[in-house]
Amino acid sequence: MKKKSKKIVIGNMKMHGSLAFNEDHFKNLLQKLNTFNNLEITLCVPYPYLFQAQKILTGSNINWGCQNVAKEPEGPYTGEVSASMIKDFQSKLIIVGHSERNTAYCESDENIAEKFNMIKKHNMTPLLCVGENLNEREAGIMEKVVAEQIKTILDMYGSDIFKGSIVAYEPIWAIGSDSAASPNQIEKMCDFIKQLININSTDNDEVNIVYGGSVNAKNAVQLCEINGVDGVLMGRSSLNTNEFYEICNGISKI
Ligand code: PGA
């Protein structure tokens, strides 16, 4: 398999942080990660801290982004935040379809597809999260579940929309737990996702697949070495500067 030039490391802060915490955390990350130019590093912050992320991280090798977006461009949608607003702060990437949103806010696959399209329209990178829950894994229907999540986007917009995007395989049972999925489970699913999307791509617009779910400094290198895995998406580890650094440091040496 062809070796990618840059591995991807994405942090999802979820609903954590404060002005004071971020000030320290972003500045420490800036200092500690500045030599990792062979990595594509992005931190997804809560909306109110976009300006702060932009202010502190501009000019560094760390990109920033968000964890959700409205599917509509603008209008009377109380509480929503549009792609153009997020783009105003020079965000690079937006997470869509995270299982925590799907479960708590009943997000449909159609909604997710429209959001994905909106992010592409604004020249940002959509990071689509897919994955099965424990019952689905135990019933052996994980590929069917992931296929349904991806197929809605394929059916609505065609496979080319995936060019330059990132898909995160995040088995729901591994998120916030003690252990990541096994290399074998991850490799099989990444391969399945690549085949399903199946685009004719060049190096610049291919679809990248990352793994998420209990990524930490101990397992990150092993996870990134799995065939078909282009990087990692981490939740808890993105809030700890040293853990974040150790993860980048390990992966940068692969
Ligand atoms: P975790 O979360 O790394 O804390 O397991 C991952 C995620 O939800 O993206």
Short mmCIF file of all heavy atoms in Angstrom, two decimals, residues 94-144:
data_model
loop_
_atom_site.label_atom_id
_atom_site.label_comp_id
_atom_site.label_asym_id
_atom_site.label_seq_id
_atom_site.Cartn_x
_atom_site.Cartn_y
_atom_site.Cartn_z
N ILE A 94 -14.85 20.43 9.97
CA ILE A 94 -16.02 20.32 10.85
C ILE A 94 -16.40 18.84 10.99
O ILE A 94 -16.47 18.11 10.00
CB ILE A 94 -17.22 21.12 10.31
CG1 ILE A 94 -16.85 22.61 10.12
CG2 ILE A 94 -18.42 20.98 11.25
CD1 ILE A 94 -17.98 23.47 9.56
N ILE A 95 -16.65 18.45 12.22
CA ILE A 95 -17.10 17.07 12.48
C ILE A 95 -18.60 16.99 12.19
O ILE A 95 -19.36 17.87 12.58
CB ILE A 95 -16.85 16.69 13.96
CG1 ILE A 95 -15.36 16.74 14.29
CG2 ILE A 95 -17.45 15.32 14.28
CD1 ILE A 95 -15.04 16.52 15.78
N VAL A 96 -19.01 15.94 11.50
CA VAL A 96 -20.46 15.69 11.33
C VAL A 96 -20.78 14.25 11.68
O VAL A 96 -19.99 13.35 11.42
CB VAL A 96 -21.01 15.93 9.90
CG1 VAL A 96 -21.37 17.36 9.66
CG2 VAL A 96 -20.09 15.39 8.83
N GLY A 97 -21.97 14.07 12.25
CA GLY A 97 -22.45 12.71 12.51
C GLY A 97 -21.82 12.05 13.71
O GLY A 97 -21.85 10.82 13.82
N HIS A 98 -21.25 12.83 14.61
CA HIS A 98 -20.69 12.18 15.81
C HIS A 98 -21.81 11.45 16.55
O HIS A 98 -22.90 11.97 16.71
CB HIS A 98 -20.01 13.20 16.72
CG HIS A 98 -19.17 12.54 17.77
ND1 HIS A 98 -19.73 11.92 18.87
CD2 HIS A 98 -17.83 12.36 17.87
CE1 HIS A 98 -18.75 11.39 19.60
NE2 HIS A 98 -17.60 11.65 19.02
N SER A 99 -21.51 10.26 17.05
CA SER A 99 -22.56 9.44 17.66
C SER A 99 -23.18 10.12 18.88
O SER A 99 -24.35 9.88 19.20
CB SER A 99 -22.00 8.07 18.05
OG SER A 99 -20.91 8.24 18.92
N GLU A 100 -22.42 10.96 19.57
CA GLU A 100 -23.00 11.65 20.74
C GLU A 100 -24.10 12.61 20.29
O GLU A 100 -25.08 12.82 21.02
CB GLU A 100 -21.90 12.39 21.52
CG GLU A 100 -21.07 11.41 22.32
CD GLU A 100 -19.72 11.94 22.74
OE1 GLU A 100 -19.44 13.14 22.59
OE2 GLU A 100 -18.91 11.12 23.23
N ARG A 101 -23.97 13.18 19.13
CA ARG A 101 -25.03 14.05 18.60
C ARG A 101 -26.19 13.20 18.07
O ARG A 101 -27.35 13.51 18.27
CB ARG A 101 -24.50 14.93 17.47
CG ARG A 101 -23.52 15.98 17.91
CD ARG A 101 -23.50 17.13 16.94
NE ARG A 101 -24.84 17.69 16.78
CZ ARG A 101 -25.43 18.51 17.66
NH1 ARG A 101 -24.79 18.89 18.73
NH2 ARG A 101 -26.64 18.96 17.43
N ASN A 102 -25.85 12.13 17.39
CA ASN A 102 -26.91 11.32 16.79
C ASN A 102 -27.82 10.73 17.86
O ASN A 102 -29.04 10.69 17.70
CB ASN A 102 -26.30 10.19 15.95
CG ASN A 102 -25.41 10.73 14.87
OD1 ASN A 102 -25.37 11.92 14.65
ND2 ASN A 102 -24.69 9.85 14.20
N THR A 103 -27.22 10.30 18.97
CA THR A 103 -28.00 9.68 20.03
C THR A 103 -28.81 10.74 20.78
O THR A 103 -30.01 10.61 20.98
CB THR A 103 -27.06 8.96 21.03
OG1 THR A 103 -26.11 8.24 20.27
CG2 THR A 103 -27.81 8.03 21.93
N ALA A 104 -28.14 11.82 21.18
CA ALA A 104 -28.81 12.78 22.04
C ALA A 104 -29.76 13.70 21.28
O ALA A 104 -30.74 14.17 21.82
CB ALA A 104 -27.75 13.62 22.76
N TYR A 105 -29.46 13.97 20.00
CA TYR A 105 -30.26 14.96 19.28
C TYR A 105 -30.95 14.36 18.05
O TYR A 105 -31.38 15.10 17.17
CB TYR A 105 -29.39 16.16 18.90
CG TYR A 105 -28.68 16.73 20.09
CD1 TYR A 105 -27.34 16.45 20.32
CD2 TYR A 105 -29.37 17.49 21.02
CE1 TYR A 105 -26.69 16.92 21.45
CE2 TYR A 105 -28.73 17.97 22.16
CZ TYR A 105 -27.40 17.69 22.37
OH TYR A 105 -26.77 18.15 23.50
N CYS A 106 -31.03 13.03 18.03
CA CYS A 106 -31.76 12.32 16.98
C CYS A 106 -31.43 12.83 15.58
O CYS A 106 -32.33 13.14 14.80
CB CYS A 106 -33.26 12.44 17.21
SG CYS A 106 -33.77 11.90 18.81
N GLU A 107 -30.18 12.92 15.28
CA GLU A 107 -29.78 13.41 13.95
C GLU A 107 -29.99 12.30 12.91
O GLU A 107 -29.53 11.18 13.11
CB GLU A 107 -28.32 13.81 14.00
CG GLU A 107 -27.83 14.46 12.76
CD GLU A 107 -27.09 15.75 13.04
OE1 GLU A 107 -25.99 15.70 13.56
OE2 GLU A 107 -27.67 16.80 12.74
N SER A 108 -30.67 12.62 11.81
CA SER A 108 -30.91 11.59 10.80
C SER A 108 -29.75 11.54 9.81
O SER A 108 -28.97 12.48 9.70
CB SER A 108 -32.19 11.92 10.02
OG SER A 108 -31.98 13.08 9.24
N ASP A 109 -29.65 10.45 9.06
CA ASP A 109 -28.60 10.33 8.05
C ASP A 109 -28.76 11.40 6.97
O ASP A 109 -27.78 11.89 6.41
CB ASP A 109 -28.62 8.93 7.41
CG ASP A 109 -28.10 7.87 8.38
OD1 ASP A 109 -27.45 8.22 9.37
OD2 ASP A 109 -28.37 6.67 8.13
N GLU A 110 -30.01 11.80 6.68
CA GLU A 110 -30.24 12.85 5.67
C GLU A 110 -29.69 14.19 6.16
O GLU A 110 -29.06 14.94 5.41
CB GLU A 110 -31.74 13.03 5.37
CG GLU A 110 -32.36 11.93 4.53
CD GLU A 110 -32.57 10.64 5.31
OE1 GLU A 110 -32.62 10.70 6.57
OE2 GLU A 110 -32.66 9.58 4.68
N ASN A 111 -29.95 14.50 7.44
CA ASN A 111 -29.39 15.73 8.03
C ASN A 111 -27.88 15.75 7.92
O ASN A 111 -27.27 16.76 7.56
CB ASN A 111 -29.70 15.77 9.54
CG ASN A 111 -31.01 16.46 9.82
OD1 ASN A 111 -31.77 16.74 8.91
ND2 ASN A 111 -31.28 16.70 11.09
N ILE A 112 -27.30 14.62 8.27
CA ILE A 112 -25.84 14.52 8.26
C ILE A 112 -25.32 14.74 6.83
O ILE A 112 -24.34 15.46 6.62
CB ILE A 112 -25.39 13.16 8.83
CG1 ILE A 112 -25.74 13.10 10.32
CG2 ILE A 112 -23.90 12.93 8.62
CD1 ILE A 112 -25.64 11.73 10.94
N ALA A 113 -26.01 14.14 5.87
CA ALA A 113 -25.60 14.29 4.46
C ALA A 113 -25.67 15.75 4.04
O ALA A 113 -24.77 16.28 3.38
CB ALA A 113 -26.49 13.43 3.57
N GLU A 114 -26.74 16.45 4.43
CA GLU A 114 -26.87 17.87 4.06
C GLU A 114 -25.78 18.72 4.72
O GLU A 114 -25.25 19.66 4.12
CB GLU A 114 -28.26 18.38 4.44
CG GLU A 114 -29.34 17.84 3.51
CD GLU A 114 -30.73 18.30 3.92
OE1 GLU A 114 -30.95 19.52 4.01
OE2 GLU A 114 -31.59 17.43 4.16
N LYS A 115 -25.45 18.39 5.94
CA LYS A 115 -24.38 19.11 6.62
C LYS A 115 -23.04 18.86 5.94
O LYS A 115 -22.24 19.78 5.75
CB LYS A 115 -24.30 18.67 8.10
CG LYS A 115 -25.49 19.13 8.91
CD LYS A 115 -25.42 18.65 10.34
CE LYS A 115 -26.60 19.21 11.13
NZ LYS A 115 -26.43 19.04 12.58
N PHE A 116 -22.82 17.63 5.58
CA PHE A 116 -21.58 17.25 4.88
C PHE A 116 -21.43 18.09 3.60
O PHE A 116 -20.38 18.68 3.32
CB PHE A 116 -21.66 15.75 4.54
CG PHE A 116 -20.40 15.13 4.02
CD1 PHE A 116 -19.59 14.38 4.86
CD2 PHE A 116 -20.03 15.26 2.69
CE1 PHE A 116 -18.41 13.79 4.39
CE2 PHE A 116 -18.87 14.68 2.21
CZ PHE A 116 -18.06 13.93 3.06
N ASN A 117 -22.51 18.16 2.87
CA ASN A 117 -22.52 18.93 1.62
C ASN A 117 -22.27 20.42 1.88
O ASN A 117 -21.53 21.08 1.15
CB ASN A 117 -23.88 18.73 0.94
CG ASN A 117 -23.97 19.43 -0.39
OD1 ASN A 117 -23.05 19.36 -1.19
ND2 ASN A 117 -25.08 20.13 -0.63
N MET A 118 -22.86 20.94 2.93
CA MET A 118 -22.70 22.35 3.28
C MET A 118 -21.23 22.67 3.60
O MET A 118 -20.70 23.70 3.20
CB MET A 118 -23.61 22.66 4.48
CG MET A 118 -23.75 24.10 4.82
SD MET A 118 -24.32 25.10 3.43
CE MET A 118 -26.07 24.76 3.45
N ILE A 119 -20.58 21.77 4.29
CA ILE A 119 -19.17 21.97 4.65
C ILE A 119 -18.31 21.99 3.38
O ILE A 119 -17.45 22.86 3.21
CB ILE A 119 -18.69 20.85 5.61
CG1 ILE A 119 -19.50 20.89 6.90
CG2 ILE A 119 -17.20 21.00 5.91
CD1 ILE A 119 -19.37 19.64 7.76
N LYS A 120 -18.59 21.06 2.47
CA LYS A 120 -17.84 21.02 1.20
C LYS A 120 -18.04 22.30 0.41
O LYS A 120 -17.10 22.86 -0.15
CB LYS A 120 -18.30 19.83 0.35
CG LYS A 120 -17.87 18.49 0.83
CD LYS A 120 -16.39 18.27 0.73
CE LYS A 120 -15.94 17.95 -0.69
NZ LYS A 120 -14.52 17.53 -0.70
N LYS A 121 -19.28 22.76 0.39
CA LYS A 121 -19.60 23.98 -0.36
C LYS A 121 -18.79 25.17 0.14
O LYS A 121 -18.53 26.11 -0.61
CB LYS A 121 -21.08 24.32 -0.16
CG LYS A 121 -22.01 23.77 -1.21
CD LYS A 121 -23.35 24.39 -0.96
CE LYS A 121 -24.33 24.17 -2.06
NZ LYS A 121 -25.68 24.54 -1.62
N HIS A 122 -18.45 25.15 1.40
CA HIS A 122 -17.68 26.26 1.98
C HIS A 122 -16.19 25.95 2.06
O HIS A 122 -15.45 26.58 2.81
CB HIS A 122 -18.24 26.61 3.37
CG HIS A 122 -19.55 27.32 3.29
ND1 HIS A 122 -20.74 26.65 3.12
CD2 HIS A 122 -19.84 28.64 3.31
CE1 HIS A 122 -21.71 27.54 3.04
NE2 HIS A 122 -21.20 28.74 3.16
N ASN A 123 -15.78 24.99 1.25
CA ASN A 123 -14.35 24.65 1.15
C ASN A 123 -13.69 24.32 2.47
O ASN A 123 -12.55 24.71 2.72
CB ASN A 123 -13.57 25.80 0.48
CG ASN A 123 -13.92 25.88 -0.97
OD1 ASN A 123 -14.06 24.84 -1.62
ND2 ASN A 123 -14.10 27.09 -1.46
N MET A 124 -14.43 23.65 3.31
CA MET A 124 -13.80 23.12 4.53
C MET A 124 -13.86 21.59 4.42
O MET A 124 -14.49 21.04 3.52
CB MET A 124 -14.56 23.61 5.78
CG MET A 124 -14.39 25.11 6.00
SD MET A 124 -15.27 25.71 7.46
CE MET A 124 -16.96 25.76 6.88
N THR A 125 -13.15 20.93 5.32
CA THR A 125 -13.10 19.47 5.28
C THR A 125 -14.16 18.87 6.20
O THR A 125 -14.14 19.14 7.40
CB THR A 125 -11.71 18.97 5.75
OG1 THR A 125 -10.72 19.60 4.95
CG2 THR A 125 -11.59 17.47 5.65
N PRO A 126 -15.07 18.06 5.66
CA PRO A 126 -15.99 17.36 6.55
C PRO A 126 -15.30 16.13 7.15
O PRO A 126 -14.62 15.40 6.44
CB PRO A 126 -17.14 16.92 5.63
CG PRO A 126 -16.72 17.25 4.24
CD PRO A 126 -15.33 17.75 4.25
N LEU A 127 -15.48 15.95 8.42
CA LEU A 127 -15.01 14.74 9.09
C LEU A 127 -16.26 13.96 9.49
O LEU A 127 -16.96 14.32 10.44
CB LEU A 127 -14.18 15.10 10.32
CG LEU A 127 -13.87 13.99 11.32
CD1 LEU A 127 -13.12 12.85 10.67
CD2 LEU A 127 -13.04 14.53 12.47
N LEU A 128 -16.58 12.95 8.71
CA LEU A 128 -17.79 12.17 8.94
C LEU A 128 -17.51 11.02 9.90
O LEU A 128 -16.65 10.18 9.62
CB LEU A 128 -18.31 11.61 7.61
CG LEU A 128 -19.48 10.64 7.72
CD1 LEU A 128 -20.77 11.38 8.08
CD2 LEU A 128 -19.66 9.85 6.43
N CYS A 129 -18.25 10.98 11.01
CA CYS A 129 -18.07 9.87 11.96
C CYS A 129 -19.07 8.77 11.64
O CYS A 129 -20.27 9.02 11.48
CB CYS A 129 -18.32 10.34 13.39
SG CYS A 129 -17.17 11.59 13.93
N VAL A 130 -18.58 7.55 11.57
CA VAL A 130 -19.45 6.40 11.36
C VAL A 130 -19.04 5.31 12.37
O VAL A 130 -17.91 5.32 12.85
CB VAL A 130 -19.34 5.83 9.92
CG1 VAL A 130 -19.80 6.85 8.90
CG2 VAL A 130 -17.92 5.37 9.60
N GLY A 131 -19.97 4.42 12.65
CA GLY A 131 -19.62 3.33 13.57
C GLY A 131 -20.86 2.69 14.14
O GLY A 131 -21.93 3.28 14.17
N GLU A 132 -20.67 1.49 14.62
CA GLU A 132 -21.78 0.68 15.13
C GLU A 132 -21.78 0.68 16.66
O GLU A 132 -20.75 0.92 17.28
CB GLU A 132 -21.65 -0.76 14.62
CG GLU A 132 -20.62 -1.63 15.33
CD GLU A 132 -19.16 -1.30 15.01
OE1 GLU A 132 -18.91 -0.45 14.14
OE2 GLU A 132 -18.26 -1.89 15.65
N ASN A 133 -22.94 0.36 17.26
CA ASN A 133 -22.96 0.20 18.71
C ASN A 133 -22.66 -1.26 19.07
O ASN A 133 -22.49 -2.11 18.18
CB ASN A 133 -24.29 0.71 19.31
CG ASN A 133 -25.49 -0.11 18.84
OD1 ASN A 133 -25.37 -1.31 18.56
ND2 ASN A 133 -26.64 0.52 18.75
N LEU A 134 -22.61 -1.54 20.36
CA LEU A 134 -22.17 -2.87 20.80
C LEU A 134 -23.12 -3.97 20.33
O LEU A 134 -22.69 -5.03 19.88
CB LEU A 134 -22.02 -2.89 22.33
CG LEU A 134 -21.30 -4.10 22.90
CD1 LEU A 134 -19.92 -4.29 22.27
CD2 LEU A 134 -21.17 -3.97 24.40
N ASN A 135 -24.43 -3.69 20.42
CA ASN A 135 -25.40 -4.71 19.98
C ASN A 135 -25.20 -5.04 18.51
O ASN A 135 -25.28 -6.20 18.10
CB ASN A 135 -26.85 -4.20 20.15
CG ASN A 135 -27.24 -4.22 21.60
OD1 ASN A 135 -26.61 -4.90 22.40
ND2 ASN A 135 -28.29 -3.47 21.94
N GLU A 136 -24.97 -4.00 17.73
CA GLU A 136 -24.79 -4.20 16.28
C GLU A 136 -23.51 -4.98 16.00
O GLU A 136 -23.47 -5.86 15.14
CB GLU A 136 -24.79 -2.84 15.57
CG GLU A 136 -26.16 -2.18 15.62
CD GLU A 136 -26.16 -0.67 15.38
OE1 GLU A 136 -25.09 -0.02 15.46
OE2 GLU A 136 -27.25 -0.12 15.13
N ARG A 137 -22.47 -4.68 16.76
CA ARG A 137 -21.21 -5.43 16.61
C ARG A 137 -21.43 -6.89 16.98
O ARG A 137 -21.02 -7.80 16.26
CB ARG A 137 -20.14 -4.75 17.47
CG ARG A 137 -18.90 -5.49 17.81
CD ARG A 137 -17.87 -5.74 16.72
NE ARG A 137 -17.41 -4.66 15.89
CZ ARG A 137 -16.57 -4.86 14.86
NH1 ARG A 137 -16.11 -6.06 14.56
NH2 ARG A 137 -16.21 -3.85 14.11
N GLU A 138 -22.12 -7.12 18.10
CA GLU A 138 -22.33 -8.50 18.55
C GLU A 138 -23.23 -9.27 17.60
O GLU A 138 -23.10 -10.48 17.45
CB GLU A 138 -22.88 -8.51 19.98
CG GLU A 138 -21.77 -8.20 20.98
CD GLU A 138 -22.24 -7.98 22.41
OE1 GLU A 138 -23.47 -7.93 22.65
OE2 GLU A 138 -21.37 -7.83 23.27
N ALA A 139 -24.12 -8.54 16.94
CA ALA A 139 -25.01 -9.21 15.98
C ALA A 139 -24.31 -9.39 14.62
O ALA A 139 -24.89 -9.94 13.67
CB ALA A 139 -26.28 -8.40 15.81
N GLY A 140 -23.10 -8.87 14.50
CA GLY A 140 -22.34 -9.03 13.26
C GLY A 140 -22.82 -8.16 12.11
O GLY A 140 -22.52 -8.43 10.95
N ILE A 141 -23.58 -7.11 12.44
CA ILE A 141 -24.12 -6.28 11.35
C ILE A 141 -23.40 -4.92 11.26
O ILE A 141 -23.93 -3.97 10.72
CB ILE A 141 -25.65 -6.05 11.50
CG1 ILE A 141 -25.98 -5.43 12.88
CG2 ILE A 141 -26.41 -7.34 11.28
CD1 ILE A 141 -27.40 -4.88 12.98
N MET A 142 -22.17 -4.85 11.78
CA MET A 142 -21.47 -3.56 11.80
C MET A 142 -21.24 -2.98 10.41
O MET A 142 -21.35 -1.78 10.21
CB MET A 142 -20.16 -3.63 12.60
CG MET A 142 -19.21 -4.69 12.18
SD MET A 142 -19.69 -6.24 12.95
CE MET A 142 -18.57 -7.38 12.16
N GLU A 143 -20.94 -3.84 9.44
CA GLU A 143 -20.69 -3.30 8.10
C GLU A 143 -21.97 -2.76 7.47
O GLU A 143 -21.97 -1.74 6.80
CB GLU A 143 -20.03 -4.36 7.22
CG GLU A 143 -18.61 -4.62 7.70
CD GLU A 143 -17.83 -5.61 6.86
OE1 GLU A 143 -18.44 -6.28 6.01
OE2 GLU A 143 -16.61 -5.70 7.08
N LYS A 144 -23.06 -3.45 7.74
CA LYS A 144 -24.36 -3.00 7.22
C LYS A 144 -24.69 -1.62 7.81
O LYS A 144 -25.15 -0.71 7.10
CB LYS A 144 -25.43 -4.04 7.61
CG LYS A 144 -26.81 -3.74 7.11
CD LYS A 144 -27.70 -4.97 7.33
CE LYS A 144 -29.15 -4.65 7.06
NZ LYS A 144 -29.81 -3.97 8.18
#
